[in-house]
Amino acid sequence: MSRRVLVAGNWKMHKTAAEAAALAGEIRSGWSAGAVEALLCPPFPALAAVAAAIAGSELVLGAQNVHWEDAGAYTGEVAAPMLREVGCRYCIAGHSERRRLFGEDDAQVARKLAALWRHGISPVLCVGEDLEQRRGGRTRQVVGEQLTAALAGVVPREDLVVAYEPVWAIGTGEPAGETDAQAVAAHLRERLQSLWGAAAGEVRILYGGSVVPDNLRRFLSQPDVDGVLVGGASLRADSFLALLREASL
Ligand code: 13P
């Protein structure tokens, strides 16, 4: 079992290409590569500029979304071969903002994972419960079902990354407690184990939702939490570099 810690920045709909390249350049110059893997996920129009800014470094590039077909009449969409060509090694799939605001469902997320894997891109599959589901005591059921549905018919893939992001913790400044995050991560790994057997031990499970440099270690010290998916605190070089430093301790 060798799960390399992953610190992923989801820049969401922030940064023009020029701003993104500048941020990536600052991160590059402030960071010395080591045990931690650092992933930058800018918006589509900034992917090429960030790829150029991090070329030759150990920073890695990811996208935030993908269409499930390789090409076709899908106005406004972006396909996996396009992401691959621009240098994406990872792509977020099923983020709660996409599920909630754009109607993405589990079946679509499953097709997105298949498209990414066809083209050698590792998915960062997001799962998480909303406040009502949490209050109803349904967290494990909800995330378990999201996981199972997204992986229907998939052979074990150790490069899968799962991000547990409770919806109520995203952008609120109120992260989950670390023991809750651990309990859900362990539950996800158990589910994976029942689907995939030993490969579950290699899959990285991230926590996301109001992660900042001050609370990152609390999550990373949990046995089943292998990294973080960060929104707000990834948008400035100083705070993202502080996250990388904390993760490297
Ligand atoms: P925040 O870190 O801003 O809470 O966002 C989390 C998130 O949604 C990352 O995908």
Side-chain angles (χ1 to χ4, degrees), residues 47-86:
L47 285 170
V50 172
I54 65 176
S57 79
E58 284 195 36
L59 293 164
V60 291
L61 184 67
Q64 300 173 18
N65 188 25
V66 67
H67 193 268
W68 53 81
E69 295 291 347
D70 291 351
Y74 300 101
T75 301
E77 294 292 321
V78 173
M82 302 169 186
L83 300 180
R84 176 74 194 191
E85 186 186 70
V86 79

Side-chain angles (χ1 to χ4, degrees), residues 169-232:
I170 293 177
T172 59
E174 291 185 28
E178 61 271 25
T179 42
D180 277 358
Q182 163 58 23
V184 178
H187 176 71
L188 288 166
R189 201 176 301 283
E190 274 165 33
R191 277 263 187 162
L192 265 177
Q193 175 106 38
S194 64
L195 292 170
W196 283 3
E202 304 296 330
V203 169
R204 287 178 294 179
I205 300 179
L206 316 182
Y207 168 75
S210 297
V211 173
V212 292
D214 277 351
N215 63 26
L216 174 133
R217 287 245 42 101
R218 297 208 318 249
F219 296 106
L220 280 192
S221 60
Q222 305 301 315
D224 285 292
V225 178
D226 309 308
V228 287
L229 180 56
V230 185

Side-chain angles (χ1 to χ4, degrees), residues 8-12 92 95-97 126 163 165-167 169-175 207-212 228-235:
N10 173 7
W11 295 0
K12 305 192 179 182
I92 297 168
H95 192 281
S96 63
E97 286 152 14
C126 299
E165 296 207 311
V167 176
I170 293 177
T172 59
E174 291 185 28
Y207 168 75
S210 297
V211 173
V212 292
V228 287
L229 180 56
V230 185
S234 73
L235 291 172

